[in-house]
Amino acid sequence: MSAFVTHGPDGTEGAQESPQTPAGLPLTGERTVPGLDVENYWFRRHEVAYLQLLHHCVDRDVLEAGFGEGYGADLLAGVARGVTGVDYDESAVAHARARYPRVTVLAGNLAALPLPDDSVDVVVNFQVIEHLWDQSQFVAECARVLRPGGRLLMSTPNRITFTPDSDTPVNPFHTRELNAAELTELLTDGGFTVESMNGVFHGPRLRELDAKYGGSIIEAQIARALADAPWPADLLADIAALGADDFELLDARDADIDASLDLVAIAVAP
C-alpha cells in the first residue's frame, strides 16, 4: 500500500506515479521510498522490521530477496559481512546499483535465485511474499541458498487487517496475502522451523493519531490520496513527523497476532 493510489478506468485501485522523489525512484504503488512526507507512514512501517531484526545480520552473509528501492539492503550492509540484493524490476536494479554501492545488486527472479546452494546465512524478505505468484517455490529457494541453521526473516501485511473480509487483496499488486497461521504453514511446509511470529502494531503516538483522525490514521491518508487534492497541513505534518519507533513489534505470545498490521516471522532453515 502506498499514499499514492488512485482509481483506474476500470474502477480498480492503481498507482499515481510520482516521477520525482527524493530517492530518485518513482512511486508505483508496488514499493515505498524514503524521503517523501506523504509516504512516510508506510516507509516507517516497513523500516521497523529492518531495525528490530538488524542484529540477526551482524557479521553475516545476507541476501535481501526483493529489495525495492534498496534503502533496507543498504541499512543491512552497515552491520553485515556482505549484502547481496536480488530484484526482478530493472529500474530498481539500476537505481540500487547507482545509489547503494555497499550492496551487491543482482537482477533475478525470486523463484530461481541467482545464488549457489548454502551461500548465505540470512535471507531478508520484507513486504515481498504477498507479491509473488509461487510463494512455495520462493520459500524452497530460500532453503536452498541458506546454510544449515540460517535464518529467513520475512514480513508481510496481515491479511486479516489489511484486506478484511475478502480473499481478494485490496492492493492490485498483491497476489496472495497471508494471516499468521497461513504464513506459519507456508514456512513449515518449506522445511523451516518458525522461531517466532511477531506483529507490527501502532504505538502510543499512532494510537493518539488514530483517535484524532476519526479512528484510523491509515484511512485518513488513503482518503486524502483518493481525493486528488492537497493534503491538510496538520495531517501532512503528523505523518511527516513519524518515526519507526512509533510502531511496536510484539511477539505473538504477548499480543493478539491476528490484530497486527504486519506479520514478521523469524524462521530457521534445516
Side-chain angles (χ1 to χ4, degrees):
M1 183 63 72
S2 167
F4 281 80
V5 288
T6 185
H7 286 88
D10 61 354
T12 59
E13 278 194 342
Q16 175 184 350
E17 186 167 309
S18 173
Q20 294 180 339
T21 70
L25 192 67
L27 284 174
T28 64
E30 192 169 9
R31 60 179 168 247
T32 190
V33 301
L36 195 64
D37 286 352
V38 295
E39 190 73 2
N40 189 51
Y41 170 89
W42 301 102
F43 168 65
R44 300 301 181 186
R45 181 166 150 180
H46 292 181
E47 185 185 34
V48 66
Y50 288 101
L51 295 175
Q52 292 290 326
L53 275 59
L54 193 63
H55 62 281
H56 289 288
C57 300
V58 174
D59 297 330
R60 299 289 191 269
D61 294 319
V62 178
L63 164 67
E64 181 161 25
F67 54 75
E69 191 274 333
Y71 68 86
D74 187 62
L75 179 64
L76 299 171
V79 301
R81 181 163 50 227
V83 174
T84 299
V86 175
D87 204 283
Y88 189 74
D89 185 272
E90 292 182 1
S91 64
V93 168
H95 169 82
R97 279 179 177 159
R99 188 176 177 89
Y100 301 116
R102 298 192 296 182
V103 179
T104 300
V105 177
L106 302 177
N109 190 329
L110 301 194
L113 291 168
L115 277 77
D117 296 357
D118 303 332
S119 57
V120 296
D121 303 301
V122 181
V123 174
V124 174
N125 181 247
F126 290 160
Q127 305 296 316
V128 173
I129 189 73
E130 67 276 4
H131 295 269
L132 303 183
W133 288 104
D134 195 338
Q135 296 175 345
S136 297
Q137 173 60 25
F138 168 66
V139 171
E141 279 292 278
C142 291
R144 180 183 67 78
V145 302
L146 277 166
R147 293 168 182 144
R151 280 176 168 75
L152 171 58
L153 312 179
M154 182 178 288
S155 76
T156 188
N158 177 12
R159 177 176 60 80
I160 295 173
T161 57
F162 199 82
T163 308
D165 304 319
S166 175
D167 291 330
T168 302
V170 66
N171 188 316
F173 296 103
H174 292 181
T175 60
R176 179 197 175 207
E177 295 169 358
L178 304 161
N179 63 26
E182 291 162 343
L183 179 56
T184 298
E185 181 179 29
L186 176 68
L187 294 171
T188 56
D189 284 354
F192 285 86
T193 299
V194 176
E195 185 174 271
S196 69
M197 182 66 66
N198 311 274
V200 175
F201 295 83
H202 282 176
R205 185 180 183 188
L206 274 162
R207 292 196 293 270
E208 290 177 2
L209 291 180
D210 281 331
K212 178 179 178 179
Y213 291 100
S216 174
I217 187 64
I218 298 173
E219 293 301 325
Q221 294 176 80
I222 293 174
R224 294 316 306 165
L226 295 179
D228 194 24
W231 286 44
D234 60 339
L235 175 60
L236 189 58
D238 284 337
I239 294 301
L242 293 173
D245 57 357
D246 290 311
F247 295 89
E248 297 176 340
L249 185 65
L250 303 176
D251 192 287
R253 292 167 293 188
D254 303 318
D256 179 4
I257 195 68
D258 288 339
S260 66
L261 300 166
D262 298 314
L263 303 169
V264 180
I266 301 172
V268 180

